[in-house]
Amino acid sequence: IAATACDGKVVPTDPVFAIAEGRVAFVNSVAGNSSYGKYIIVEHPDPSLGLIQKRDGSSEPAVVYTLYAHLADIRFGVRAGLAVAPGDVLGTLGHTSNTQPPIPLERSHLHWEIGVTLNSRFEVKGRAEKIKPDFGNYNGGNLFAFDPLDFYAAHSRDPGLTMGSYLSTVKPACEVVLRGKFPDYFHRFSALWKAPPHDGGPIHLTLSESGAPLSGRNATSTEATLLGNQRQAVLKVFPEVLGRNGRAYVHQVGGQWQFTSKGRQWADILFY
């Protein structure tokens, strides 16, 4: 999202606002630590995606995140745990990043996302693998966003839109079958798992262009057979949705779609 206001030195002055009620989940205030630069993640409860069952027998709604990146500064007092309302100022639009070459001043912008985390145990995996810096579950490798313009257009048409109803309209980029334990993802987003309950065998997933699971179910016997001795197999690809294949989780080899090393890393996160 481009800047709309600048000071006398042509430095953008646009405030960045929270888009909905939620809680600040993560703040990175050191620009050099990430390609996102200074960034903030806010989590928003959305029970349309399911309820998360807690050990004490209670439950809480699933959450989606919004991300606000390349900020010039973060508003004083914005910290993890802070409750925010729609329109609360989070910081100022900017061009911070650790990329080389750096983002030039004239290309200052807000990088904005709305999406889901793939695994709530990513922070455990990251620490075991000594990923630095330690951003816990809010490392970019665990963040899976949806097309923000498409979501914004849908929300404009229906201000009461839930993420559950929106995801039911998102066209998948591919269908895959995988072997592994029942993913944490569907414990948190139980509304995306299609009955019956997991039978312990391979699972069938539809994936968005970014790699976010849109739905899951038990694989059929025919789909499971296609796995053979593999842990992952691509069943179908929809090129018009996959587009430029920016995540490169799958590719064609001899006319057949297969998982790439990046795709296998994605699966490792999903099943961790």
Side-chain angles (χ1 to χ4, degrees), residues 68-234:
Y68 311 79
H70 304 317
L71 301 176
D73 59 66
I74 294 169
R75 192 174 183 88
F76 180 76
V78 174
R79 63 191 183 282
L82 178 71
V84 296
D88 282 356
V89 177
L90 300 176
T92 306
L93 181 148
H95 62 110
T96 58
S97 178
N98 68 0
T99 54
Q100 293 298 327
I103 300 171
L105 175 63
E106 60 270 20
R107 289 198 62 248
S108 295
H109 64 279
L110 171 67
H111 174 109
W112 184 78
E113 293 182 7
I114 182 166
V116 292
T117 54
L118 192 60
N119 197 319
S120 66
R121 298 184 70 251
F122 185 92
E123 60 183 347
V124 179
K125 178 179 174 65
R127 287 167 189 162
E129 296 175 359
K130 298 182 180 180
I131 296 175
K132 297 295 181 181
D134 182 3
F135 290 159
N137 287 330
Y138 305 103
N139 180 292
N142 195 39
L143 304 177
F144 289 80
F146 305 105
D147 182 342
L149 292 179
D150 186 63
F151 176 82
Y152 181 79
H155 193 273
S156 296
R157 294 190 297 269
D158 176 11
L161 183 72
T162 65
M163 185 56 74
S165 58
Y166 171 70
L167 292 185
S168 69
T169 70
V170 175
K171 294 180 179 178
C174 62
E175 296 180 17
V176 299
V177 60
L178 307 99
R179 182 179 285 114
K181 66 179 183 179
F182 189 67
D184 159 81
Y185 186 87
F186 292 110
H187 282 296
R188 291 179 294 122
F189 304 118
S190 57
L192 300 182
W193 180 263
K194 308 307 177 184
H198 185 223
D199 60 10
I203 64 174
H204 172 282
L205 297 180
T206 61
L207 304 180
S208 72
E209 182 273 337
S210 71
L214 298 171
S215 68
R217 59 169 172 79
N218 294 316
T220 66
S221 57
T222 300
E223 292 165 346
T225 299
L226 293 175
L227 269 176
N229 294 324
Q230 306 173 87
R231 294 185 62 189
Q232 308 97 15
V234 180

